């Protein structure tokens, strides 16, 4: 669409004052087509405002379509955009525009959460209250937090994100391009602790050793 003439307001103001179109053309030195194209809608509509309903009509992203998408998502929030677009017989890009631009929705990944029984929930609440009470009494300053972590000597692999670009599958999975994983890879257990005064050095747990008060570790 061509941009409006920079003389638009001047032409309309002069015509409202009763200046003839011929005189407007001479005074502003503009094309006659520009003047008559601006004056013609005023003669038909009686106003200089743009006519409502101009432009191309929406054929896919219609109010009914937006309502149908909103109702579908309301029934099943984790529906696939691709499957919804296929069911409505529209492109995935257009359905994405409806979800993002019209409904103002953002796609989030589902989270995993532990199933807590009533007894477990009650026990966690009691422990949380005790921890808060320790904080009020200053006991948290002498509390030691510790944990151990098992590290495996094995390449990290995510089938969703790790991809191989190749012309054929044989080339993609040729020797040297596959990640080999064993059932029982070599591993090492590392122990560490922190408190208000500092942290302990990393301690390596010997294989097969059970962690208790008599355990011995190798310092890092």
């Amino acid at each position: 669409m061509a941009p409006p003439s920079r003389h638009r307001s001047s032409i309309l103001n002069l015509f409202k004052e009763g200046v003839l179109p011929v005189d407007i053309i001479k005074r502003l030195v503009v094309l006659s087509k520009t003047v008559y194209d601006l004056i013609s809608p005023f003669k038909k509509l009686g106003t200089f405002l743009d006519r409502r309903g101009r432009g191309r009509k929406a054929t896919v992203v219609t109010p009914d379509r937006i309502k149908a998408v909103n109702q579908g998502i309301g029934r099943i929030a984790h529906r696939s955009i691709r499957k919804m677009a296929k069911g409505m017989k529209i492109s995935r890009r257009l359905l994405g525009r409806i979800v993002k631009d019209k409904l103002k929705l953002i796609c989030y990944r589902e989270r995993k959460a532990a199933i807590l029984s009533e007894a477990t929930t009650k026990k966690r609440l009691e422990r949380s209250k005790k921890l808060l009470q320790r904080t009020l009494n200053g006991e948290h300053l002498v509390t030691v937090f510790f944990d151990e972590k098992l590290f495996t000597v094995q390449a990290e692999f995510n089938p969703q994100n790790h991809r191989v670009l190749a012309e054929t599958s044989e080339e993609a999975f040729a020797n040297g391009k596959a990640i080999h994983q064993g059932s029982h890879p070599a591993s090492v257990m590392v122990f560490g602790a922190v408190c208000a005064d500092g942290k302990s050095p990393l301690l390596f747990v010997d294989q097969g050793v059970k962690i208790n008060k008599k355990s011995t570790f190798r310092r890092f």
Side-chain angles (χ1 to χ4, degrees), residues 72-92:
I73 295 175
R75 290 193 299 269
I76 307 176
H78 58 270
R79 296 187 67 182
S80 169
I81 295 293
R82 178 178 57 81
K83 291 182 179 180
M84 287 181 61
K86 186 176 181 180
M88 294 184 175
K89 296 181 179 180
I90 60 176
S91 69
R92 181 179 176 181

Side-chain angles (χ1 to χ4, degrees), residues 126-136 140 145:
E126 293 176 355
R127 290 177 177 176
S128 299
K129 290 181 178 180
K130 290 181 179 179
L131 287 174
L132 289 175
Q133 188 62 36
R134 287 183 180 181
T135 303
L136 295 175
H140 65 287
F145 299 91

